[in-house]
Amino acid sequence: MQLRYAFRVYPDAGQRVALARAFGCARVVFNDAVRAREDARRAGLPFPTAAVLSRKLITEAKRTAERSWLGEVSSVVLQQSLRDAEAAYRNFFASLKGTRKGTRVGPPRFKSRKDNRQSIRFTVNARWSITDTGRLNLPKIGAVKVKWSRTLPTIPTSVTVIKDAAGRYFASFVVGTDAAADNARMPETDRTIGIDLGLTHFAVLSDGTKIDSPRFLRRAEKKLKKAQRELSRKQKGSKNRDKARLKVARDHAKVSDARREFHHQLSTKLISDNQGIAVEDLSVAGLARTRLAKSVHDAGWSSFISMLEYKAERYGRTLVTIGRFEPTSQTCSTCGNVDGPKPLHVREWTCTACGTVHDRDHNAAINIRRRHRPAERR
Ligand SMILES: [Zn+2]
Protein backbone atom coordinates (compact mmCIF):
# COMPACT_ATOMS: atom_id res chain seq x y z
CA MET A 1 0.00 0.00 0.00
CA GLN A 2 1.26 3.51 -0.82
CA LEU A 3 1.11 6.36 1.67
CA ARG A 4 2.11 10.00 1.80
CA TYR A 5 4.35 11.36 4.54
CA ALA A 6 4.62 15.13 4.71
CA PHE A 7 7.27 17.13 6.56
CA ARG A 8 7.88 20.82 6.98
CA VAL A 9 11.00 22.01 5.11
CA TYR A 10 12.95 25.23 5.54
CA PRO A 11 14.65 26.37 2.31
CA ASP A 12 17.16 29.22 2.71
CA ALA A 13 16.85 32.46 0.72
CA GLY A 14 18.68 31.14 -2.36
CA GLN A 15 16.71 27.89 -2.31
CA ARG A 16 13.44 29.81 -2.08
CA VAL A 17 14.39 31.68 -5.24
CA ALA A 18 15.25 28.40 -7.00
CA LEU A 19 11.95 26.88 -5.82
CA ALA A 20 9.97 29.90 -7.03
CA ARG A 21 11.65 29.47 -10.43
CA ALA A 22 10.78 25.76 -10.50
CA PHE A 23 7.15 26.41 -9.46
CA GLY A 24 6.96 28.99 -12.24
CA CYS A 25 8.41 26.71 -14.92
CA ALA A 26 6.13 23.82 -13.90
CA ARG A 27 3.17 26.18 -14.09
CA VAL A 28 4.15 27.43 -17.58
CA VAL A 29 4.51 23.89 -18.94
CA PHE A 30 1.16 22.91 -17.39
CA ASN A 31 -0.54 25.93 -18.94
CA ASP A 32 1.12 25.34 -22.32
CA ALA A 33 -0.22 21.77 -22.25
CA VAL A 34 -3.75 22.96 -21.46
CA ARG A 35 -3.48 25.56 -24.23
CA ALA A 36 -2.20 22.97 -26.75
CA ARG A 37 -5.17 20.73 -26.05
CA GLU A 38 -7.62 23.63 -26.21
CA ASP A 39 -6.17 24.69 -29.57
CA ALA A 40 -6.45 21.14 -30.91
CA ARG A 41 -10.05 20.90 -29.72
CA ARG A 42 -10.99 24.21 -31.35
CA ALA A 43 -9.30 23.19 -34.62
CA GLY A 44 -11.12 19.84 -34.50
CA LEU A 45 -7.81 17.97 -34.41
CA PRO A 46 -6.99 14.93 -32.26
CA PHE A 47 -5.35 15.73 -28.93
CA PRO A 48 -1.54 15.79 -29.11
CA THR A 49 0.02 12.75 -27.43
CA ALA A 50 2.13 12.97 -24.28
CA ALA A 51 5.28 12.31 -26.34
CA VAL A 52 4.47 15.14 -28.76
CA LEU A 53 3.73 17.55 -25.93
CA SER A 54 6.95 16.60 -24.17
CA ARG A 55 8.99 17.25 -27.31
CA LYS A 56 7.24 20.50 -28.24
CA LEU A 57 6.65 22.06 -24.83
CA ILE A 58 9.89 21.01 -23.15
CA THR A 59 12.69 19.89 -25.46
CA GLU A 60 12.02 22.27 -28.36
CA ALA A 61 10.71 25.11 -26.17
CA LYS A 62 14.01 25.24 -24.28
CA ARG A 63 15.74 26.20 -27.54
CA THR A 64 13.47 29.22 -28.09
CA ALA A 65 14.23 32.68 -26.67
CA GLU A 66 10.94 33.00 -24.83
CA ARG A 67 11.17 29.63 -23.06
CA SER A 68 14.96 29.18 -22.73
CA TRP A 69 14.72 29.58 -18.94
CA LEU A 70 12.99 26.19 -18.77
CA GLY A 71 16.54 24.81 -18.90
CA GLU A 72 17.25 26.23 -15.46
CA VAL A 73 15.10 23.67 -13.65
CA SER A 74 15.17 19.87 -13.43
CA SER A 75 13.50 18.42 -16.53
CA VAL A 76 11.81 15.79 -14.35
CA VAL A 77 9.82 18.60 -12.71
CA LEU A 78 8.63 19.71 -16.15
CA GLN A 79 7.79 16.14 -17.23
CA GLN A 80 5.77 15.63 -14.04
CA SER A 81 3.88 18.85 -14.70
CA LEU A 82 2.89 17.50 -18.13
CA ARG A 83 1.72 14.32 -16.45
CA ASP A 84 -0.38 16.37 -14.03
CA ALA A 85 -2.07 18.07 -16.96
CA GLU A 86 -2.73 14.65 -18.55
CA ALA A 87 -4.18 13.34 -15.28
CA ALA A 88 -6.38 16.42 -14.91
CA TYR A 89 -7.85 15.73 -18.36
CA ARG A 90 -8.28 12.03 -17.61
CA ASN A 91 -10.20 12.88 -14.43
CA PHE A 92 -12.31 15.41 -16.25
CA PHE A 93 -13.29 12.96 -19.01
CA ALA A 94 -13.92 10.15 -16.52
CA SER A 95 -16.12 12.52 -14.56
CA LEU A 96 -18.07 13.43 -17.72
CA LYS A 97 -18.58 9.75 -18.51
CA GLY A 98 -19.54 9.05 -14.91
CA THR A 99 -16.78 6.48 -14.43
CA ARG A 100 -15.07 8.51 -11.72
CA LYS A 101 -16.08 8.26 -8.07
CA GLY A 102 -16.67 11.35 -5.98
CA THR A 103 -17.60 14.90 -6.86
CA ARG A 104 -17.74 16.21 -10.45
CA VAL A 105 -14.41 17.42 -11.78
CA GLY A 106 -14.29 20.40 -14.13
CA PRO A 107 -11.89 20.84 -17.06
CA PRO A 108 -8.28 21.77 -16.09
CA ARG A 109 -7.83 25.47 -15.41
CA PHE A 110 -4.79 27.59 -16.10
CA LYS A 111 -2.52 27.84 -13.09
CA SER A 112 -1.60 31.22 -11.68
CA ARG A 113 1.27 32.69 -9.69
CA LYS A 114 -1.42 33.78 -7.25
CA ASP A 115 -2.71 30.25 -6.57
CA ASN A 116 -2.72 29.34 -2.89
CA ARG A 117 -0.78 26.18 -3.45
CA GLN A 118 2.34 25.83 -5.58
CA SER A 119 3.98 22.47 -6.09
CA ILE A 120 6.59 20.50 -8.01
CA ARG A 121 7.23 16.76 -8.06
CA PHE A 122 10.48 14.79 -8.29
CA THR A 123 10.35 11.10 -9.17
CA VAL A 124 13.05 8.47 -8.61
CA ASN A 125 14.89 9.29 -11.84
CA ALA A 126 15.22 12.96 -10.80
CA ARG A 127 18.24 11.99 -8.65
CA TRP A 128 16.98 13.64 -5.51
CA SER A 129 18.27 12.21 -2.25
CA ILE A 130 18.30 12.45 1.51
CA THR A 131 21.79 13.40 2.69
CA ASP A 132 23.69 11.87 5.62
CA THR A 133 22.88 14.95 7.65
CA GLY A 134 19.16 14.52 6.95
CA ARG A 135 18.73 17.22 4.35
CA LEU A 136 16.60 16.82 1.24
CA ASN A 137 18.86 17.29 -1.75
CA LEU A 138 16.91 18.44 -4.81
CA PRO A 139 18.41 18.85 -8.31
CA LYS A 140 19.04 22.52 -9.22
CA ILE A 141 17.69 23.64 -5.83
CA GLY A 142 20.12 22.32 -3.23
CA ALA A 143 20.11 20.55 0.14
CA VAL A 144 17.04 21.78 2.01
CA LYS A 145 16.62 21.53 5.79
CA VAL A 146 13.82 19.14 6.83
CA LYS A 147 12.01 18.81 10.16
CA TRP A 148 11.61 15.02 10.41
CA SER A 149 8.58 14.55 12.68
CA ARG A 150 8.43 10.75 12.18
CA THR A 151 10.48 8.07 10.45
CA LEU A 152 9.77 6.91 6.92
CA PRO A 153 8.81 3.18 6.95
CA THR A 154 10.58 2.50 3.63
CA ILE A 155 12.57 4.41 1.02
CA PRO A 156 10.28 6.90 -0.74
CA THR A 157 9.68 6.69 -4.49
CA SER A 158 8.85 10.34 -5.12
CA VAL A 159 8.72 13.69 -3.37
CA THR A 160 6.46 16.68 -3.95
CA VAL A 161 7.57 20.09 -2.67
CA ILE A 162 4.66 22.34 -1.76
CA LYS A 163 4.32 25.98 -0.80
CA ASP A 164 1.02 26.77 0.91
CA ALA A 165 -1.04 29.94 1.33
CA ALA A 166 0.69 30.70 4.63
CA GLY A 167 4.07 30.73 2.86
CA ARG A 168 5.21 27.44 4.42
CA TYR A 169 7.10 24.75 2.54
CA PHE A 170 6.49 20.99 2.79
CA ALA A 171 8.02 17.86 1.34
CA SER A 172 5.46 15.12 0.75
CA PHE A 173 7.01 11.67 0.18
CA VAL A 174 5.29 8.69 -1.40
CA VAL A 175 6.31 5.51 0.42
CA GLY A 176 5.26 1.88 0.28
CA THR A 177 4.29 0.29 3.60
CA ASP A 178 6.06 -2.68 5.16
CA ALA A 179 3.36 -5.36 5.72
CA ALA A 180 5.37 -7.45 8.20
CA ALA A 181 6.23 -4.43 10.33
CA ASP A 182 2.59 -3.29 10.22
CA ASN A 183 1.39 -6.72 11.41
CA ALA A 184 3.85 -6.65 14.28
CA ARG A 185 2.74 -3.16 15.21
CA MET A 186 -0.98 -3.94 15.25
CA PRO A 187 -1.71 -7.63 15.83
CA GLU A 188 -5.24 -8.95 15.30
CA THR A 189 -7.78 -8.43 18.12
CA ASP A 190 -11.37 -9.57 18.77
CA ARG A 191 -12.73 -6.17 19.71
CA THR A 192 -15.23 -4.17 17.67
CA ILE A 193 -16.52 -0.66 18.21
CA GLY A 194 -19.20 1.73 16.92
CA ILE A 195 -18.47 5.43 16.46
CA ASP A 196 -21.06 8.18 16.30
CA LEU A 197 -19.62 11.47 15.12
CA GLY A 198 -21.61 14.26 16.71
CA LEU A 199 -21.94 17.94 17.34
CA THR A 200 -21.80 18.08 21.13
CA HIS A 201 -18.81 15.74 21.22
CA PHE A 202 -16.43 15.01 18.38
CA ALA A 203 -17.21 11.29 18.76
CA VAL A 204 -19.13 8.98 21.06
CA LEU A 205 -18.08 5.32 21.17
CA SER A 206 -20.35 2.33 21.76
CA ASP A 207 -18.51 1.62 25.02
CA GLY A 208 -19.75 4.99 26.30
CA THR A 209 -16.51 6.95 25.84
CA LYS A 210 -17.08 10.54 24.77
CA ILE A 211 -14.26 12.21 22.88
CA ASP A 212 -13.91 15.95 22.49
CA SER A 213 -11.37 17.77 20.37
CA PRO A 214 -8.49 18.94 22.55
CA ARG A 215 -8.76 22.27 24.31
CA PHE A 216 -5.84 23.88 22.43
CA LEU A 217 -7.59 23.09 19.15
CA ARG A 218 -10.85 24.65 20.30
CA ARG A 219 -8.93 27.70 21.47
CA ALA A 220 -7.11 28.01 18.14
CA GLU A 221 -10.44 27.70 16.31
CA LYS A 222 -11.87 30.58 18.35
CA LYS A 223 -8.83 32.71 17.54
CA LEU A 224 -9.22 31.94 13.84
CA LYS A 225 -12.88 32.96 13.86
CA LYS A 226 -11.93 36.26 15.49
CA ALA A 227 -9.18 36.90 12.91
CA GLN A 228 -11.64 36.10 10.09
CA ARG A 229 -14.14 38.61 11.49
CA GLU A 230 -11.41 41.26 11.70
CA LEU A 231 -10.36 40.55 8.11
CA SER A 232 -13.91 41.04 6.82
CA ARG A 233 -14.01 44.49 8.45
CA LYS A 234 -10.79 45.70 6.78
CA GLN A 235 -11.07 47.83 3.68
CA LYS A 236 -10.36 46.10 0.37
CA GLY A 237 -6.97 46.94 -1.12
CA SER A 238 -5.64 48.40 2.12
CA LYS A 239 -2.29 47.44 3.65
CA ASN A 240 -4.01 46.39 6.85
CA ARG A 241 -6.17 43.99 4.91
CA ASP A 242 -3.10 42.27 3.41
CA LYS A 243 -1.64 41.92 6.90
CA ALA A 244 -4.94 40.58 8.25
CA ARG A 245 -5.18 38.12 5.38
CA LEU A 246 -1.74 36.69 6.09
CA LYS A 247 -2.67 36.36 9.77
CA VAL A 248 -5.86 34.47 8.86
CA ALA A 249 -3.85 32.18 6.57
CA ARG A 250 -1.36 31.48 9.40
CA ASP A 251 -4.09 30.88 12.01
CA HIS A 252 -5.91 28.68 9.54
CA ALA A 253 -2.76 26.64 8.94
CA LYS A 254 -2.28 26.21 12.70
CA VAL A 255 -5.86 25.03 13.21
CA SER A 256 -5.73 22.54 10.35
CA ASP A 257 -2.37 21.18 11.57
CA ALA A 258 -3.69 20.73 15.12
CA ARG A 259 -6.87 19.13 13.84
CA ARG A 260 -4.98 16.74 11.58
CA GLU A 261 -2.76 15.72 14.49
CA PHE A 262 -5.81 15.07 16.70
CA HIS A 263 -7.45 13.02 13.93
CA HIS A 264 -4.23 11.04 13.41
CA GLN A 265 -3.89 10.14 17.06
CA LEU A 266 -7.55 9.22 17.53
CA SER A 267 -7.82 7.18 14.31
CA THR A 268 -4.59 5.30 15.07
CA LYS A 269 -5.86 4.44 18.56
CA LEU A 270 -9.26 3.26 17.30
CA ILE A 271 -7.66 1.12 14.57
CA SER A 272 -5.07 -0.26 16.98
CA ASP A 273 -7.64 -1.21 19.65
CA ASN A 274 -10.27 -2.74 17.38
CA GLN A 275 -10.53 -5.33 14.62
CA GLY A 276 -13.92 -4.09 13.41
CA ILE A 277 -14.93 -0.43 13.35
CA ALA A 278 -18.37 0.86 12.38
CA VAL A 279 -18.76 4.58 11.84
CA GLU A 280 -21.68 6.71 10.87
CA ASP A 281 -21.06 7.96 7.35
CA LEU A 282 -22.08 11.60 7.29
CA SER A 283 -23.03 11.66 3.60
CA VAL A 284 -21.68 15.17 3.47
CA ALA A 285 -23.05 15.73 -0.04
CA GLY A 286 -26.58 15.26 1.25
CA LEU A 287 -26.04 17.92 3.86
CA ALA A 288 -24.83 20.62 1.48
CA ARG A 289 -26.25 24.05 2.26
CA THR A 290 -27.71 22.98 5.59
CA ARG A 291 -26.52 24.46 8.86
CA LEU A 292 -25.15 21.05 9.76
CA ALA A 293 -22.93 21.04 6.66
CA LYS A 294 -20.79 23.82 8.09
CA SER A 295 -20.32 21.94 11.35
CA VAL A 296 -19.42 18.81 9.42
CA HIS A 297 -16.90 20.76 7.41
CA ASP A 298 -15.46 22.54 10.46
CA ALA A 299 -15.02 19.35 12.41
CA GLY A 300 -13.24 17.77 9.44
CA TRP A 301 -15.22 14.53 9.79
CA SER A 302 -14.61 13.50 6.20
CA SER A 303 -10.82 13.75 6.56
CA PHE A 304 -11.10 11.78 9.84
CA ILE A 305 -13.09 9.04 8.08
CA SER A 306 -10.60 8.85 5.23
CA MET A 307 -7.82 8.37 7.82
CA LEU A 308 -9.81 5.51 9.35
CA GLU A 309 -10.25 4.08 5.85
CA TYR A 310 -6.60 3.99 4.85
CA LYS A 311 -5.42 2.84 8.28
CA ALA A 312 -8.04 0.03 8.26
CA GLU A 313 -6.69 -1.07 4.89
CA ARG A 314 -3.09 -0.79 6.01
CA TYR A 315 -3.53 -2.76 9.24
CA GLY A 316 -6.07 -5.34 7.99
CA ARG A 317 -9.05 -3.98 9.93
CA THR A 318 -12.68 -3.97 8.77
CA LEU A 319 -14.34 -0.58 8.52
CA VAL A 320 -18.08 -0.30 7.92
CA THR A 321 -19.77 3.02 7.27
CA ILE A 322 -23.47 3.57 7.85
CA GLY A 323 -25.57 6.30 6.24
CA ARG A 324 -26.46 9.39 8.21
CA PHE A 325 -30.15 8.91 7.45
CA GLU A 326 -30.42 5.37 8.71
CA PRO A 327 -32.32 5.50 11.97
CA THR A 328 -29.40 4.85 14.33
CA SER A 329 -30.47 7.69 16.61
CA GLN A 330 -34.20 6.81 16.62
CA THR A 331 -33.90 3.11 17.36
CA CYS A 332 -33.85 1.87 20.95
CA SER A 333 -30.68 -0.14 21.39
CA THR A 334 -32.35 -2.15 24.21
CA CYS A 335 -35.55 -3.40 22.55
CA GLY A 336 -35.20 -2.40 18.89
CA ASN A 337 -38.28 -0.16 18.89
CA VAL A 338 -38.07 2.60 16.26
CA ASP A 339 -39.16 5.51 18.38
CA GLY A 340 -39.54 8.27 15.78
CA PRO A 341 -37.31 11.17 14.74
CA LYS A 342 -35.17 12.86 17.37
CA PRO A 343 -34.22 16.45 16.53
CA LEU A 344 -30.60 17.31 17.22
CA HIS A 345 -31.35 19.25 20.42
CA VAL A 346 -32.84 16.13 22.01
CA ARG A 347 -29.84 14.82 23.96
CA GLU A 348 -31.73 12.28 26.07
CA TRP A 349 -34.91 10.34 25.41
CA THR A 350 -37.02 7.57 26.91
CA CYS A 351 -38.07 4.58 24.81
CA THR A 352 -41.89 4.49 24.57
CA ALA A 353 -41.85 0.69 24.31
CA CYS A 354 -39.47 -0.46 27.07
CA GLY A 355 -38.88 2.71 29.10
CA THR A 356 -35.06 2.73 28.81
CA VAL A 357 -33.60 6.23 29.16
CA HIS A 358 -31.02 6.81 26.42
CA ASP A 359 -28.17 9.25 25.98
CA ARG A 360 -28.73 10.11 22.33
CA ASP A 361 -25.17 9.63 21.09
CA HIS A 362 -24.33 6.58 23.17
CA ASN A 363 -27.51 4.83 21.98
CA ALA A 364 -26.64 5.68 18.37
CA ALA A 365 -23.09 4.38 18.82
CA ILE A 366 -24.42 1.03 20.13
CA ASN A 367 -26.73 0.74 17.10
CA ILE A 368 -23.87 1.60 14.79
CA ARG A 369 -21.74 -1.11 16.35
CA ARG A 370 -24.58 -3.68 15.91
CA ARG A 371 -24.81 -2.92 12.24
CA HIS A 372 -21.18 -3.86 11.83
CA ARG A 373 -20.73 -7.33 10.35
CA PRO A 374 -18.02 -9.27 12.20
CA ALA A 375 -14.59 -9.09 10.62
CA GLU A 376 -13.53 -12.01 8.44
CA ARG A 377 -10.55 -13.90 9.75
CA ARG A 378 -7.48 -13.45 7.68
ZN1 LIG B 1 -36.84 0.21 24.04
Side-chain angles (χ1 to χ4, degrees):
M1 181 180 178
Q2 296 221 307
L3 288 179
R4 285 196 166 274
Y5 278 61
F7 303 94
R8 185 94 183 257
V9 295
Y10 300 88
D12 64 26
Q15 291 165 348
R16 286 199 295 273
V17 171
L19 280 168
R21 189 186 296 133
F23 291 143
C25 289
R27 204 164 53 226
V28 164
V29 168
F30 184 94
N31 289 345
D32 285 350
V34 172
R35 199 170 293 115
R37 294 194 64 142
E38 282 296 302
D39 290 347
R41 188 180 60 82
R42 246 180 251 122
L45 297 169
F47 287 135
T49 62
V52 168
L53 287 179
S54 167
R55 197 185 66 232
K56 275 196 172 159
L57 304 182
I58 300 174
T59 319
E60 288 173 8
K62 277 181 192 172
R63 293 192 209 112
T64 67
E66 56 199 348
R67 291 276 187 273
S68 62
W69 33 265
L70 287 178
E72 293 170 21
V73 308
S74 161
S75 60
V76 168
V77 163
L78 306 179
Q79 293 291 352
Q80 291 304 310
S81 197
L82 273 189
R83 286 183 161 231
D84 288 347
E86 290 288 310
Y89 275 105
R90 256 201 317 278
N91 288 337
F92 169 53
F93 291 129
S95 189
L96 280 183
K97 275 191 286 182
T99 51
R100 189 181 181 275
K101 277 208 304 181
T103 50
R104 284 285 282 269
V105 179
R109 286 181 306 128
F110 289 117
K111 294 193 177 190
S112 156
R113 192 161 45 87
K114 288 180 181 152
D115 288 347
N116 280 338
R117 186 181 181 278
Q118 306 280 343
S119 71
I120 46 170
R121 190 166 62 246
F122 298 89
T123 49
V124 177
N125 52 6
R127 286 193 293 268
W128 61 274
S129 61
I130 295 163
T131 67
D132 295 340
T133 55
R135 281 177 178 247
L136 172 62
N137 196 18
L138 299 168
K140 303 205 181 182
I141 286 165
V144 183
K145 200 176 134 195
V146 185
K147 189 181 169 202
W148 298 102
S149 43
R150 47 189 180 149
T151 37
L152 294 168
T154 54
I155 295 166
T157 50
S158 83
V159 60
T160 302
V161 180
I162 299 149
K163 186 185 178 197
D164 74 2
R168 304 174 307 169
Y169 294 83
F170 296 89
S172 174
F173 296 93
V174 173
V175 289
T177 54
D178 178 339
D182 287 350
N183 273 339
R185 187 175 167 212
M186 292 194 191
E188 228 178 80
T189 89
D190 291 327
R191 282 188 298 269
T192 61
I193 199 135
I195 309 169
D196 180 39
L197 298 175
L199 292 176
T200 41
H201 300 279
F202 178 77
V204 175
L205 309 182
S206 53
D207 65 6
T209 313
K210 294 182 171 175
I211 298 160
D212 285 315
S213 49
R215 193 206 297 260
F216 66 86
L217 174 55
R218 279 176 284 157
R219 215 162 29 211
E221 283 167 338
K222 253 187 216 154
K223 243 182 91 183
L224 172 61
K225 285 218 174 88
K226 195 171 151 237
Q228 279 167 334
R229 270 200 307 273
E230 274 163 17
L231 171 62
S232 67
R233 279 201 293 266
K234 297 275 189 289
Q235 203 155 28
K236 278 205 174 123
S238 73
K239 241 200 188 125
N240 277 335
R241 189 184 164 86
D242 283 346
K243 248 194 240 162
R245 202 178 38 216
L246 190 62
K247 185 172 168 9
V248 166
R250 285 210 187 106
D251 286 355
H252 191 272
K254 259 184 221 150
V255 166
S256 64
D257 282 357
R259 192 182 287 138
R260 194 179 317 115
E261 190 51 39
F262 163 58
H263 289 171
H264 261 307
Q265 286 180 8
L266 181 58
S267 56
T268 297
K269 181 159 180 13
L270 289 167
I271 291 289
S272 172
D273 290 352
N274 300 283
Q275 189 65 34
I277 298 101
V279 64
E280 195 172 47
D281 176 357
L282 303 145
S283 51
V284 176
L287 292 173
R289 284 187 298 277
T290 64
R291 200 160 56 85
L292 195 57
K294 181 149 173 35
S295 312
V296 169
H297 177 74
D298 285 353
W301 285 338
S302 56
S303 79
F304 177 69
I305 291 177
S306 53
M307 278 184 196
L308 284 176
E309 277 168 352
Y310 86 73
K311 287 177 189 180
E313 190 190 335
R314 176 173 179 184
Y315 294 105
R317 274 25 180 176
T318 305
L319 182 76
V320 179
T321 52
I322 295 163
R324 168 54 108 173
F325 300 106
E326 285 178 47
T328 50
S329 48
Q330 330 179 357
T331 306
C332 171
S333 60
T334 311
C335 73
N337 169 42
V338 179
D339 207 85
K342 309 276 174 249
L344 274 175
H345 66 268
V346 176
R347 306 316 307 168
E348 209 178 78
W349 56 280
T350 308
C351 173
T352 51
C354 72
T356 309
V357 179
H358 292 296
D359 172 284
R360 175 204 181 86
D361 296 333
H362 185 205
N363 177 65
I366 293 170
N367 286 330
I368 291 166
R369 179 175 183 264
R370 290 235 174 92
R371 290 292 310 271
H372 155 70
R373 295 156 206 80
E376 280 169 41
R377 291 267 157 194
R378 279 155 204 269

